[in-house]
Amino acid sequence: MSFIAKNTFLWQKLAVNLNQIVTVDDMVHFLQEGVKILYLQFGLHTKEENRNILDMANLAIEIFSSVTNPWKPVIGIACELSGKGCRLKFERYQDPIKVTTGQKLYLTSDMKYEDKAVEGIIFVTNFEAQTAMLKIGDVLTINNIQLKVCKINGKFVQCCVNPNDNIEIPMLIHPYDRVTLTTVNGNTALTNIDTEECLLALCMNCHYIVIPDVDNHTIIHAVDELIQSHQACDRTIRTIARISPEVREPCVKHLIQHVAGCISVDFEIVRQCKDNCKSVLYEISDMDQLPDEETFHLIDVFIIKPEIIEEFQFSLRELNQRAIRSLAEQPLPLEQGHRAICQCIEYACANCKANAILLCTTTSLCEAEKLSRRKLPCPMLVTTDNEEALYFLLLRKYCFPVCISEDMKSIRQIIKYATIYGRKFEFLKPGNFLVTGFGEHLVQGLELRYVPDDFISGEQ
């Protein structure tokens, strides 16, 4: 075990949720700890907070890149739109609002109450369309607190807090809490808020746009069209769907086909994502929400809170080491009908107990994606000079993209560069065993090698 490097067993990528109290120094620390994606939920912050957080995220990536120079770390920024869901919106820095059984509250879509603290009146985002469809007697839910609709007057909905013995006293509601009403169906068009958020993400160097509560492919197409019409460069922005739990077959399969990946904790949705070659993202708030073993092996990216990064990485290493032991019990056989380079790499690294794979082929994007869906015993460093490929690979389990310059043509030079990269970012240590796949066009090769201890950190 003395030859195991720090990041050897961190096969899944980590995305960390950002908030208004996280500083630039905090973000740089996250990146130093191995976080690959900085994740921002627009719906939990004001416009000014969102812009400020994205400014800090870009600055943190710039600072981290200057420290790792000449190697370019591949760090993504993901922005989740507010979506059509309704949220309470009042002054963040005041105390949570205490409510009692029988109390009357006024929920409103009147913009003059946005971010204001007014006794008994609370602004709700995306509420105007919902108000038009509400009727007296409907029940709204906020954090399991039930509000019965008593009166509707223009933009104001008077509600009465229903008794509920299952809720702890005092009953509290916080800014940005969700307001749910299962009997109301939202429309599938982009809201003005979504459009503003998409444009903000585009101009702030975002790589992934997450669409929440997706239950219809129309909203996905609307976001794609907006991205295409406002892109200032050839940079590819990928869409990710947070699929609504109400969506079932055959809609799920259809939705998955239109996005780069999905966020879900539902095993069937997770499985279908992998079957359709899409990335699987899985969000957890605390360590008690770790998925079962079958689901765990299908996940590419975990979205976590900042405070559990260290504890989560420890668990991740343990779970992946356990996976290695199960793989070792069943040596991998060679099979007919598979792509040669892909199968030989998998066979060699599984049966020879490799510490890492170096993939340096011209078709590495395709081969890497195929391997990411298998059960490998080690991380895979994939070299590429394609900017688009970097952020495609960032969403894939096992795959750690190594950015090389266009003029780096020699396979030997690329292998050496990738090996030094692996040591620099603690995927490798001297004495580690590597499986290297490489080739040009129809001529492909495979090498087994050890990591030497005499490399000088640098480009050459």
Side-chain angles (χ1 to χ4, degrees):
M1 295 300 289
S2 60
F3 291 108
I4 301 301
K6 177 182 176 182
N7 295 324
T8 297
F9 296 113
L10 299 182
W11 303 339
Q12 296 85 357
K13 311 299 173 52
L14 295 187
V16 64
N17 272 312
L18 303 179
N19 55 53
Q20 78 284 355
I21 64 172
V22 170
T23 65
V24 172
D25 288 342
D26 290 333
M27 294 185 198
V28 173
H29 176 69
F30 300 157
L31 302 181
Q32 291 170 340
E33 288 298 306
V35 168
K36 300 299 180 184
I37 299 174
L38 299 176
Y39 195 100
L40 174 63
Q41 288 182 282
F42 279 143
L44 300 181
H45 309 90
T46 66
K47 297 174 187 177
E48 293 74 19
E49 287 172 341
N50 285 325
R51 181 176 292 277
N52 185 50
I53 292 171
L54 287 174
D55 274 331
M56 290 194 295
N58 281 294
L59 179 57
I61 293 172
E62 184 181 333
I63 293 171
F64 184 63
S65 299
S66 68
V67 173
T68 61
N69 187 59
W71 294 280
K72 176 185 176 180
V74 184
I75 307 296
I77 297 177
C79 296
E80 181 171 336
L81 305 179
S82 295
K84 62 187 178 184
C86 298
R87 291 183 184 272
L88 303 180
K89 202 169 182 185
F90 54 88
E91 177 56 51
R92 180 192 298 280
Y93 301 105
Q94 77 173 67
D95 293 332
I97 296 174
K98 296 180 182 179
V99 297
T100 57
T101 299
Q103 181 179 346
K104 292 182 179 179
L105 295 174
Y106 290 86
L107 306 183
T108 182
S109 58
D110 192 331
M111 292 290 291
K112 72 180 183 182
Y113 292 97
E114 185 178 14
D115 294 328
K116 298 291 191 304
V118 180
E119 185 70 28
I121 300 177
I122 304 174
F123 178 78
V124 181
T125 62
N126 297 331
F127 199 52
E128 192 164 1
Q130 307 283 15
T131 302
M133 303 174 71
L134 284 172
K135 60 183 182 298
I136 295 173
D138 282 341
V139 176
L140 302 167
T141 304
I142 306 168
N143 281 346
N144 296 322
I145 300 171
Q146 294 184 342
L147 307 178
K148 183 178 179 180
V149 176
C150 302
K151 187 185 295 185
I152 301 172
N153 185 9
K155 295 182 178 181
F156 291 84
V157 176
Q158 184 191 81
C159 301
C160 184
V161 180
N162 280 349
N164 191 335
D165 295 332
N166 297 321
I167 299 179
E168 294 182 4
I169 302 298
M171 294 187 285
L172 302 175
I173 55 179
H174 306 78
Y176 301 95
D177 278 347
R178 278 184 176 269
V179 181
T180 58
L181 175 63
T182 55
T183 59
V184 173
N185 295 316
N187 59 56
T188 57
L190 274 179
T191 65
N192 291 335
I193 294 175
D194 286 331
T195 301
E196 289 178 6
E197 290 173 347
C198 274
L199 297 180
L200 175 61
L202 290 177
C203 74
M204 298 296 285
N205 200 35
C206 173
H207 304 95
Y208 313 105
I209 290 181
V210 181
I211 310 169
D213 304 320
V214 174
D215 57 9
N216 189 293
H217 69 277
T218 307
I219 189 72
I220 300 173
H221 294 319
V223 172
D224 284 338
E225 288 175 8
L226 183 65
I227 292 172
Q228 291 299 322
S229 62
H230 287 85
Q231 259 184 249
C233 60
D234 295 331
R235 188 163 54 97
T236 299
I237 311 297
R238 291 180 169 83
T239 52
I240 296 170
R242 187 186 288 273
I243 297 183
S244 173
E246 287 77 30
V247 179
R248 289 292 178 265
E249 279 282 15
C251 296
V252 170
K253 186 175 181 180
H254 184 63
L255 291 175
I256 290 171
Q257 293 172 351
H258 295 282
V259 292
C262 295
I263 302 175
S264 180
V265 295
D266 183 278
F267 174 75
E268 280 305 310
I269 294 176
V270 168
R271 182 187 58 78
Q272 287 192 55
C273 277
K274 300 305 286 188
D275 289 346
N276 285 273
C277 310
K278 303 295 184 177
S279 298
V280 173
L281 295 88
Y282 193 100
E283 186 171 27
I284 66 171
S285 299
D286 56 62
M287 298 304 296
D288 294 332
Q289 296 177 338
L290 283 172
D292 61 77
E293 187 172 347
E294 189 174 7
T295 305
F296 172 79
H297 289 301
L298 300 177
I299 295 168
D300 296 289
V301 180
F302 280 101
I303 305 169
I304 62 175
K305 290 185 175 181
E307 54 267 26
I308 66 170
I309 289 177
E310 188 174 336
E311 185 181 5
F312 185 80
Q313 285 184 325
F314 180 81
S315 295
L316 205 56
R317 290 186 181 96
E318 284 195 327
L319 290 166
N320 285 329
Q321 285 183 71
R322 192 184 307 161
I324 284 184
R325 289 192 288 271
S326 65
L327 286 173
E329 294 170 2
Q330 299 177 338
L332 184 72
L334 285 171
E335 302 173 9
Q336 298 295 323
H338 289 258
R339 291 177 64 93
I341 188 72
C342 187
Q343 187 188 179
C344 287
I345 288 173
E346 185 182 3
Y347 178 86
C349 74
N351 292 300
C352 299
K353 297 180 174 58
N355 297 97
I357 297 168
L358 299 185
L359 195 53
C360 312
T361 71
T362 53
T363 55
S364 59
L365 197 64
C366 176
E367 304 296 352
E369 192 280 325
K370 285 178 178 292
L371 284 168
S372 74
R373 288 183 276 136
R374 308 290 289 182
K375 286 187 177 181
L376 302 177
C378 59
M380 176 168 41
L381 303 178
V382 188
T383 62
T384 180
D385 59 5
N386 185 330
E387 189 80 13
E388 181 179 336
L390 296 174
Y391 296 98
F392 171 85
L393 295 170
L394 200 60
L395 289 179
R396 303 287 170 170
K397 181 182 179 183
Y398 299 116
C399 298
F400 294 88
V402 180
C403 182
I404 60 174
S405 62
E406 293 182 0
D407 58 356
M408 194 177 289
K409 303 297 184 183
S410 164
I411 289 294
R412 297 297 169 205
Q413 187 181 17
I414 292 173
I415 291 174
K416 183 174 181 180
Y417 183 88
T419 305
I420 297 173
Y421 179 98
R423 286 187 56 181
K424 170 73 175 178
F425 292 96
E426 300 186 272
F427 292 101
L428 299 172
K429 278 189 173 183
N432 278 173
F433 181 69
L434 302 178
V435 175
T436 304
F438 59 90
E440 293 293 336
H441 304 295
L442 299 178
V443 181
Q444 297 179 327
L446 192 71
E447 285 187 357
L448 309 179
R449 60 174 66 218
Y450 285 95
V451 177
D453 59 4
D454 58 350
F455 272 152
I456 300 173
S457 293
E459 288 189 74
Q460 301 301 320

